[in-house]
Amino acid sequence: MFKKISLSLLIVATAIMGLMFTTASAQDSVKVGVLPFEIHSTKNYTYLKNEIPAILKKHLKQQGADIADTGAVSLEELTQSANIRTMGEKIAADFILWGSLTWIGKQFSLDARVLETFSTTRPALYSVEGKGIEALPKALKQLSRDIGIRIFKREKVVRVIITGNKRIETDAISKKIKTQPGDVYLPKSLADDLKTIYSMGYFDDIRIESEETPDGKSITFFVKEKPTIRVIRLKGNVVYDDDEIKEELDIKTGSILNIFKIQKNIKRIEELYQEKNYHHVGVSYKVLPLDNNQADLEITVSEGSKIRIKSITFEGNKEYDSDDLKDLMKTSEKGMFSWITSSGDLTPEDLDQDIARLNAFYHNNGYVKAKVGDPAIEHKDNWIYITIKVDEGPRFKIGSVAVKGDLVVPESNLLRKIKISKKKYFSRETVRNDMLVLNDLYSDEGYAYVEIAPKIEQNPEKLIVNITYNIEKGKQVYFEKINITGNTKTRDKVIRRELKVYEQELYSGKRLKRGVRNLYRLDFFEDIKIETPKGSDDDKMILNIDVTEKATGTFSVGGGYSSVENAFFTGSISERNLFGRGFILKFNAEIGGRSNRYTLSFTDPWLFDIPLSAGFDIYNRTKDYNTYDLDSIGGTLRGSYPVLDYTRFFLSYTYDITDVHNIEESAPLGAQDMEGENTMSKLVSSLIYDSRDRVFNPSEGIKTSFAVQYAGGILGGDIGYTKYIGDFGWYIPMFWGTVSFMHGRAGYVQENTDGKLPIYDRFYLGGINSMRGFDWHDISPKDENGEPTGGDKFVQFNFEFIFPLVKEAGVMGVTFFDMGDVYGEDVSVDMADLQMSAGAGIRWFSPMGPIRLEYGYILEAEEGISQDGRWEFTMGQAF
C-alpha cells in the first residue's frame, strides 16, 4: 500500500518540478499590459473602468505575469488608436488586454480581448456573464483564469472522476479536493489533493491519473477504501467491563478502520484507568483482516495494580498542624477501609479544589499573605506521595472598618449590617458576604447596578487590616418590560402575579428573588431562567423570564398493611394547573378492608384576580370499626388570604351528616352515645406561615400553623366541640447537601355543653404521617376491651436527618426518631414518658411523582402494641 502511495507522490512531485521550471521560464518572458475597460450602464458605475483592470492585474500577477505600465491611456485615445499592437510594442508587452462591462437590468456581460503583440493573429475573445454587482468579483476571477490559460499556454481540467469508492460518497470526496473542472491543470494542486484525501482516514491507497483530451486534461482519482470493523473485542479488562469501556470509544462496530482514531481511543482507555489510579496500565491493539473488506479489532488491556496515596505531607505550616489541614481536604491517604470509602484515590479535580480550600481557610482566618503551593506528586513503586508547601505569613487582625461613597442611609446603619467589624481576625469570605449584604440593601432601593469595591489596606507593622467599602450606587433602575417565554400552557398572568415585581416600578433584588421562589413553589416548572439586560436607557432594565414547564397532573397511589385494615389502598388524580389558570382539581380515594373515603376538591388560588384562595370539598366516607360502623357525607367551603410575609389566614365551613350504626354491646361508650344520624356544622380558622423552598423534599424554611375548630352552638347541629391544634416544622440546611428537620405538633379538644364530641373526632396517633412504626390508631387511650377511644390532647415530635443518595436523580435517604402520646380527659401530659420509634427510609421525587418508603421500629412498646417494625409507603405518577 505504502509503495503505491510513494510512487504516486514521486510522479506528482516530478510533474511539479517540471511545472515550476516551465512556469519560471514563462514568468521571465510573459509581460501583459492591461488597459481601461469601457462601462455601458444606466447606473453610475464609471469607477469600475479602472477598478476592473486593477483586479485583473492582481489575478494575473498571482499567476506569474509581469504587468507592463501602460501609462495614462484614456478611453477616447484607445478607441481612436488604429493599431493597439503598436502600443504593445512600445511598452514591450507580450499581450495587451482590454474590454468592456455591459449592464442590462441586473444582468451584466464582462467581455475582454487579448492581443498577442508580436504575432499577426487576431485578438482572442473572452466573455463571462453574471447577475448582480456581488457576482462581479467571481466573474473577474474566472475571466483572469481563462486568459491565464492562453497567455501561459497551460492546459485546462475538463473532467474530474472519482472511482473505487463504495461506502464513502463521491460528493464527500469532491468537497475535499481543490482540482475542479475548468481549473488550470496544476500538478501541485493534485499533490495537495492526494494528501487531503489520504488525511480523511478512510482509504488505504490513492492513485491519480491524467488523460489528454481534445478539450484539456481528464483527471481520475482511484481510491481503495479501508476495511470496516466487524467486531471490537476487549481482553484483560477487569476493573471496567466491556460495555463501560466501549461507551468511552468513538469507534463502533461497522465504522471504518482508522488507525489514527484507534490510537486516540487507546489513549482514552489509558486515561480511564488513570482516573481510578491505575497508572501502570498498558493498552495495545491488533487488526485481524477478514474477507469482504472487513476486519476485527482486538484491544488488550494490561491493568497493572492500583496506585493509592501513601502520604500527604505539608511543609512550612506552623500555626496549624498537618492533621488539621488534612481534615479540610477531600483527598486523603489510604485507610483501612479504602475499598469502601475510596480513601487514597487521587482525583486531580478534587486535589485542585483542596488547594483552593486550603488557601481559603488561611485567608479566612487572618493569614492575608498565606500561599498554598501546587502539590508535588511523586509516583514510587505502587504508591503516590503528595507534598504541599505552605507559606503561612503573619496573622492580621481587623483594624478600622468604614463605608464610603454614595450612602443611601447613614454609615452607622450600614456598619450594623456588615459582620467583618465583629470579627477579630480578617476573613475574605466575611468581606464577600458583607458585599452581598450591601448589594442587596442597595438593590432593594432600585440601584440594580451598584458597585461595591472593598479597599483592603494592610499594616505589616501593627499586623492589622483596615477595610473601606467604597460604594458607587449608579442610577435607580426601573423595570421597563417583563418578558415571559417558554409557557405553552400556563397563562402569563399566573406567572406575573407571583413575581412581586412590576413594569415601570423600581428594581428590587429582594422582591425579584422572592418572586422566583414563588414560581418554584408553584411546582409548575422544571426550570426557570432569569436574565436582566439593560433597557432602552441606563435607568431601565428588561426582565426576561424563560420557564420550562413540567407535567402538573398527578396520579398518586399508595398502600400498606395493618392489623385493622389488612391491605389498604390510596389513590388520587389531580391537576394543579387546570386550563393553565392555576386552578387545582383533585379526586382522592382511600379504599381499605374496613373503610372507604372519596373526596372531590376544587381550588382557585386567585379568586377575582386577587390573592384570595377559595374552593370546596365534597366527600363521602364509610368506616367499619371493630364494634360499630360509620357512614358520612358532607362538604366544605374554604378560603384563605395572605396577611403577612409567607403567612396566610384560612377560614372554612363544613357541614357533615354521619350515621353511626351496627353498634355492638362491647363498643366504647363514646360510640354508643353517637348511635343514629348526627349532623355537624363546623367553622375552622387557622393561621399558617410557610417559607419552605419546595413542597416535597424541602432543603430550608419553616412551616408553622395554629388552628381553631368550633362546632355546634350558634352554627347548629348535634355535634359541639372546640379543638385547638398547633404545628411547627423547621428545615435546616446542613453540610454536603444534608438537611435536618425538627417537627412538633400538639392539640387539645373539649366538648361544648350544647353538643357531643364524637369518638371519631378525638385524637389518635400512628402511621407514616405521625408516629412511624405504630399502626393507625395504635396510640390512644383504650377501654376495658382494648378498643381505642381517642384522647382529648396529644403531643408529637419528629426528628429527621435527610441526606442525598443519588443527588442528580433526586433520591434522598432519611433517618428519623419519633416521640409522642395521646391522653384522656383525666390524664395530664407527661413529657418524660412519651412513646418512641425510630427508623429509616428513602424518598424520591421520581418522574412518576413523589415516592416514600419508610420502616419504623417501636422502642419499648406499651402493652397491647406489637413491637415488630412496620413498612409503609406512598408513591405517585405524573401524567
Side-chain angles (χ1 to χ4, degrees):
M1 176 184 75
F2 293 104
K3 288 182 179 179
K4 293 180 179 178
I5 295 176
S6 300
L7 181 60
S8 300
L9 288 172
L10 182 61
I11 294 170
V12 172
T14 304
I16 291 173
M17 293 177 65
L19 176 68
M20 291 172 61
F21 177 81
T22 304
T23 303
S25 301
Q27 287 175 343
D28 291 338
S29 59
V30 178
K31 193 172 184 179
V32 181
V34 183
L35 301 177
F37 270 52
E38 291 183 282
I39 307 298
H40 306 293
S41 173
T42 57
K43 294 184 178 181
N44 187 16
Y45 287 146
T46 54
Y47 68 93
L48 292 175
K49 69 179 181 180
N50 292 318
E51 188 71 20
I52 290 174
I55 295 173
L56 289 172
K57 288 176 184 179
K58 179 181 176 181
H59 287 318
L60 291 171
K61 189 174 182 180
Q62 288 175 346
Q63 294 182 54
D66 183 10
I67 304 301
D69 183 8
T70 58
V73 179
S74 67
L75 291 175
E76 290 77 9
E77 293 175 350
L78 180 63
T79 55
Q80 293 174 4
S81 175
N83 195 346
I84 295 178
R85 185 175 279 107
T86 302
M87 179 187 294
E89 292 173 352
K90 288 181 179 180
I91 60 176
D94 297 297
F95 295 91
I96 295 292
L97 166 64
W98 76 99
S100 64
L101 174 66
T102 303
W103 286 88
I104 301 175
K106 294 184 178 181
Q107 298 286 129
F108 67 82
S109 175
L110 188 61
D111 304 296
R113 290 175 172 80
V114 178
L115 176 68
E116 189 170 354
T117 306
F118 304 101
S119 172
T120 59
T121 59
R122 295 170 59 86
L125 301 179
Y126 298 90
S127 181
V128 181
E129 294 182 350
K131 183 178 181 181
I133 191 70
E134 65 276 2
L136 188 57
K138 183 177 180 182
L140 286 168
K141 188 174 183 179
Q142 176 67 39
L143 182 65
S144 63
R145 186 174 61 179
D146 293 343
I147 293 171
I149 290 174
R150 172 177 174 78
I151 64 177
F152 293 115
K153 296 181 173 59
R154 291 173 177 165
E155 292 185 274
K156 185 177 183 179
V157 176
V158 294
R159 190 181 303 108
V160 175
I161 301 170
I162 298 171
T163 186
N165 54 310
K166 297 178 181 178
R167 294 184 305 271
I168 308 303
E169 294 183 0
T170 300
D171 286 346
I173 304 173
S174 298
K175 289 178 181 178
K176 292 288 185 180
I177 61 178
K178 293 180 180 178
T179 304
Q180 299 294 334
D183 288 352
V184 175
Y185 173 73
L186 295 174
K188 181 181 184 302
S189 295
L190 295 178
D192 292 338
D193 290 339
L194 182 71
K195 295 176 183 177
T196 300
I197 298 174
Y198 186 72
S199 67
M200 293 174 71
Y202 301 141
F203 306 103
D204 267 342
D205 188 26
I206 305 161
R207 183 166 51 88
I208 305 174
E209 290 184 1
S210 64
E211 181 183 356
E212 296 284 352
T213 71
D215 299 323
K217 289 280 190 179
S218 175
I219 308 299
T220 303
F221 291 85
F222 295 91
V223 298
K224 180 183 178 182
E225 293 178 335
K226 290 182 176 180
T228 55
I229 299 174
R230 189 192 68 165
V231 175
I232 299 176
R233 296 193 191 93
L234 291 162
K235 295 172 60 178
N237 52 303
V238 176
V239 175
Y240 293 98
D241 61 34
D242 288 4
D243 290 339
E244 288 177 310
I245 294 178
K246 288 179 180 179
E247 283 179 4
E248 297 292 326
L249 306 181
D250 61 5
I251 50 175
K252 308 293 180 183
T253 300
S255 60
I256 293 174
L257 197 151
N258 186 319
I259 301 300
F260 302 111
K261 274 195 173 184
I262 292 174
Q263 291 172 345
K264 186 182 75 171
N265 281 272
I266 293 300
K267 182 67 175 176
R268 176 58 193 137
I269 296 173
E270 291 174 347
E271 291 172 352
L272 196 65
Y273 273 86
Q274 289 165 3
E275 289 171 5
K276 284 197 174 183
N277 293 303
Y278 287 85
H279 292 274
H280 295 322
V281 64
V283 184
S284 60
Y285 72 93
K286 288 182 181 178
V287 177
L288 307 176
L290 300 170
D291 294 336
N292 300 320
N293 202 25
Q294 288 185 316
D296 288 351
L297 177 62
E298 186 175 278
I299 300 174
T300 303
V301 180
S302 176
E303 294 180 333
S305 58
K306 188 170 187 177
I307 300 178
R308 295 186 184 269
I309 300 171
K310 180 69 172 178
S311 68
I312 300 175
T313 305
F314 288 90
E315 295 180 357
N317 54 309
K318 298 176 182 178
E319 297 298 326
Y320 298 98
D321 63 34
S322 296
D323 289 338
D324 291 334
L325 298 180
K326 289 178 186 178
D327 289 342
L328 298 171
M329 300 175 64
K330 186 175 181 180
T331 306
S332 63
E333 298 162 342
K334 180 182 181 300
M336 183 181 299
F337 299 102
S338 61
W339 55 282
I340 298 176
T341 63
S342 297
S343 62
D345 286 354
L346 175 60
T347 304
E349 294 79 7
D350 288 344
L351 188 56
D352 290 342
Q353 292 177 8
D354 287 336
I355 298 303
R357 196 176 291 115
L358 290 169
N359 271 303
F361 172 75
Y362 274 102
H363 295 161
N364 291 333
N365 284 278
Y367 296 93
V368 181
K369 297 184 177 182
K371 294 180 181 178
V372 180
D374 292 333
I377 302 173
E378 181 183 5
H379 296 270
K380 189 175 181 181
D381 298 328
N382 289 328
W383 293 103
I384 300 172
Y385 298 85
I386 299 175
T387 303
I388 302 173
K389 293 185 178 180
V390 179
D391 181 7
E392 293 179 333
R395 195 176 194 185
F396 286 75
K397 294 183 178 181
I398 296 296
S400 63
V401 179
V403 182
K404 302 297 181 184
D406 301 327
L407 305 185
V408 294
V409 296
E411 182 183 11
S412 57
N413 291 357
L414 295 176
L415 288 174
R416 282 196 292 270
K417 297 284 186 181
I418 61 180
K419 296 182 178 180
I420 192 64
S421 57
K422 302 175 182 66
K423 294 280 187 179
K424 183 177 181 181
Y425 294 101
F426 176 79
S427 169
R428 290 191 184 277
E429 183 178 4
T430 305
V431 170
R432 284 195 296 268
N433 291 336
D434 286 343
M435 291 171 63
L436 294 175
V437 168
L438 292 173
N439 188 86
D440 289 345
L441 191 149
Y442 273 76
S443 70
D444 287 339
E445 297 294 329
Y447 299 101
Y449 303 119
V450 60
E451 293 185 4
I452 301 171
K455 182 180 180 182
I456 300 172
E457 296 178 330
Q458 302 174 16
N459 188 327
E461 296 178 357
K462 296 182 179 181
L463 292 180
I464 62 172
V465 174
N466 299 318
I467 304 171
T468 302
Y469 294 94
N470 293 305
I471 301 176
E472 292 184 15
K473 64 183 183 181
K475 293 182 179 181
Q476 282 186 309
V477 177
Y478 294 81
F479 285 112
E480 181 178 11
K481 193 174 182 181
I482 299 176
N483 299 318
I484 299 173
T485 57
N487 53 316
T488 58
K489 176 183 178 182
T490 308
R491 302 199 177 195
D492 275 14
K493 75 172 186 177
V494 173
I495 298 174
R496 289 180 184 274
R497 68 195 184 192
E498 300 290 342
L499 288 178
K500 307 303 179 187
V501 294
Y502 309 95
E503 293 176 346
Q504 308 308 318
E505 284 197 358
L506 269 177
Y507 172 88
S508 171
K510 182 178 180 181
R511 285 191 286 119
L512 180 57
K513 291 177 184 176
R514 173 67 184 277
V516 174
R517 185 168 182 167
N518 288 346
L519 291 178
Y520 274 110
R521 282 168 54 85
L522 285 176
D523 203 26
F524 295 170
F525 309 111
E526 193 74 39
D527 188 27
I528 302 170
K529 294 179 181 177
I530 302 295
E531 292 182 350
T532 53
K534 285 189 177 182
S536 60
D537 207 342
D538 290 341
D539 64 345
K540 294 179 181 178
M541 174 186 287
I542 306 295
L543 175 58
N544 294 325
I545 301 174
D546 182 28
V547 299
T548 303
E549 292 182 315
K550 66 179 181 181
T552 53
T554 303
F555 172 66
S556 39
V557 294
Y561 181 87
S562 71
S563 59
V564 176
E565 289 286 350
N566 294 323
F568 64 89
F569 167 84
T570 63
S572 69
I573 183 169
S574 67
E575 172 56 63
R576 302 189 312 277
N577 190 16
L578 187 65
F579 308 130
R581 295 176 177 269
F583 297 157
I584 304 169
L585 182 65
K586 181 177 182 179
F587 177 75
N588 186 73
E590 301 171 10
I591 303 171
R594 293 190 173 183
S595 66
N596 299 318
R597 182 184 177 100
Y598 304 94
T599 307
L600 177 67
S601 303
F602 174 80
T603 304
D604 180 356
W606 281 73
L607 186 65
F608 309 126
D609 284 332
I610 61 175
L612 171 62
S613 174
F616 66 83
D617 305 304
I618 301 173
Y619 61 85
N620 182 303
R621 67 169 177 165
T622 62
K623 177 69 177 178
D624 179 12
Y625 291 90
N626 288 335
T627 54
Y628 64 95
D629 295 338
L630 178 149
D631 295 334
S632 295
I633 186 170
T636 300
L637 294 175
R638 48 187 166 74
S640 70
Y641 194 82
V643 292
L644 293 171
D645 207 20
Y646 297 112
T647 307
R648 297 183 75 94
F649 175 72
F650 290 79
L651 186 65
S652 66
Y653 171 75
T654 299
Y655 187 81
D656 176 279
I657 301 174
T658 299
D659 181 24
V660 180
H661 56 282
N662 294 336
I663 300 176
E664 299 179 3
E665 292 183 1
S666 60
L669 183 60
Q672 296 177 16
D673 293 341
M674 301 300 298
E675 184 174 11
E677 193 173 274
N678 301 274
T679 61
M680 180 182 68
S681 181
K682 180 174 68 174
L683 196 65
V684 180
S685 63
S686 59
L687 197 64
I688 299 179
Y689 173 88
D690 188 356
S691 64
R692 296 174 300 168
D693 57 346
R694 289 186 295 272
V695 176
F696 187 79
N697 274 349
S699 60
E700 62 176 325
I702 293 173
K703 182 179 182 182
T704 185
S705 64
F706 180 74
V708 179
Q709 302 180 19
Y710 179 80
I714 60 173
L715 299 177
D718 305 314
I719 309 301
Y721 63 84
T722 306
K723 183 183 289 186
Y724 308 89
I725 298 177
D727 193 294
F728 176 81
W730 186 12
Y731 294 87
I732 307 169
M734 305 290 283
F735 51 88
W736 300 333
T738 60
V739 177
S740 289
F741 174 54
M742 296 188 296
H743 177 241
R745 182 177 171 87
Y748 172 73
V749 63
Q750 65 179 9
E751 185 176 86
N752 297 338
T753 56
D754 55 352
K756 296 179 288 188
L757 173 59
I759 188 173
Y760 47 81
D761 273 334
R762 293 179 178 272
F763 295 123
Y764 305 85
L765 290 179
I768 194 170
N769 293 316
S770 61
M771 294 282 293
R772 286 156 286 195
F774 292 90
D775 198 357
W776 182 73
H777 281 198
D778 254 1
I779 303 177
S780 165
K782 296 179 175 61
D783 64 10
E784 62 275 7
N785 296 320
E787 292 293 328
T789 60
D792 67 340
K793 46 191 168 293
F794 80 96
V795 292
Q796 171 192 333
F797 302 98
N798 309 99
F799 303 93
E800 296 182 353
F801 180 69
I802 306 166
F803 52 91
L805 292 177
V806 185
K807 190 172 183 179
E808 297 77 10
V811 180
M812 310 294 287
V814 59
T815 58
F816 60 82
F817 176 67
D818 297 338
M819 303 169 59
D821 212 340
V822 180
Y823 306 91
E825 295 180 2
D826 300 327
V827 181
S828 300
V829 175
D830 184 3
M831 301 293 288
D833 189 25
L834 300 177
Q835 301 200 56
M836 295 176 286
S837 66
I842 295 175
R843 296 172 183 173
W844 178 28
F845 196 71
S846 73
M848 299 182 299
I851 293 177
R852 289 176 63 188
L853 175 64
E854 296 174 14
Y855 178 85
Y857 180 80
I858 301 173
L859 307 175
E860 299 182 4
E862 291 186 348
E863 184 179 351
I865 298 178
S866 172
Q867 197 165 347
D868 294 338
R870 287 181 78 245
W871 283 102
E872 290 187 283
F873 75 93
T874 61
M875 64 181 179
Q877 179 177 354
F879 65 86

